[in-house]
Amino acid sequence: SSYAKLLVPILEIETSLQTINQWIHQTDDFVNGLKLASDVLTNPQFEKKQFKKTFNAFGDNIYYTDPDRANLYLGGGATPSKEQSMAYLIRNDILTNVEALQAEVVYLVAENVKGGSDAGFTTDLFKYCDSALGGMKKYLALVPPEELKVAQSFIAGTPVTK
């Protein structure tokens, strides 16, 4: 499905956040984990404009079953559905936490913090990452289950059709 293909980049963002979460929790090589996280967080998919564009490409299309209404909405002539409004709010919350995570990682790398993941300076770092991941979970809970299943199959390399 074309909607499921639009969901794939969002699932890739989620996977990147999960990987970052693992890296920042490394106690044996915390500094390297921060640097790896920093490298990923500077990818274009995490730039504000691209991030919103990725989510909007999916969200602006999926919640209207009538293509004429979807086109009317995209042209500014229809009110967003309840689901769209929720999706935008959650997307913005994820983005806020990703931006805070980016800033925190840059700060900790610049400070060359070596204390390990149990040190007191990781509280904000973990909070931002956990909040971004929690937001992703909420966002994906809004996705029709069949679309999510198909998108996950694309990522796994075993496409299924509805």
Side-chain angles (χ1 to χ4, degrees):
S1 144
S2 60
Y3 292 137
K5 287 180 183 174
L6 293 172
L7 185 59
V8 168
I10 294 170
L11 293 175
E12 290 170 343
I13 288 172
E14 180 191 36
T15 299
S16 292
L17 288 171
Q18 290 168 342
T19 301
I20 288 167
N21 192 47
Q22 291 173 353
W23 288 335
I24 65 175
H25 281 87
Q26 290 185 123
T27 54
D28 56 335
D29 198 0
F30 182 67
V31 173
N32 188 53
L34 281 176
K35 289 178 182 174
L36 291 169
S38 179
D39 289 345
V40 171
L41 288 167
T42 58
N43 286 337
Q45 70 187 30
F46 287 105
E47 292 173 8
K48 185 176 199 166
K49 187 175 181 179
Q50 183 59 43
F51 190 91
K52 285 185 171 186
K53 187 176 178 181
T54 298
F55 277 78
N56 289 354
F58 177 76
D60 287 350
N61 288 294
I62 191 67
Y63 297 112
Y64 287 122
T65 54
D66 175 7
D68 292 332
R69 180 161 166 77
N71 290 332
L72 182 63
Y73 169 74
L74 292 173
T79 306
S81 68
K82 177 182 161 216
E83 291 85 2
Q84 275 179 313
S85 295
M86 285 299 300
Y88 294 141
L89 288 171
I90 294 169
R91 178 212 62 195
N92 289 342
D93 185 55
I94 297 166
L95 180 58
T96 297
N97 283 291
V98 164
E99 290 175 329
L101 179 62
Q102 289 168 321
E104 189 69 15
V105 167
V106 166
Y107 169 76
L108 292 174
V109 168
E111 292 294 311
N112 200 17
V113 174
K114 292 182 170 61
S117 64
D118 60 340
F121 56 77
T122 58
T123 304
D124 287 341
L125 179 71
F126 294 166
K127 178 180 75 173
Y128 299 139
C129 194
D130 289 345
S131 295
L133 284 168
M136 289 298 300
K137 186 175 183 177
K138 288 178 191 172
Y139 187 90
L140 293 173
L142 295 175
V143 173
E146 192 59 35
E147 296 297 336
L148 183 59
K149 180 180 173 185
V150 172
Q152 289 168 330
S153 76
F154 286 136
I155 289 175
T158 55
V160 297
T161 55
K162 294 196 271 185

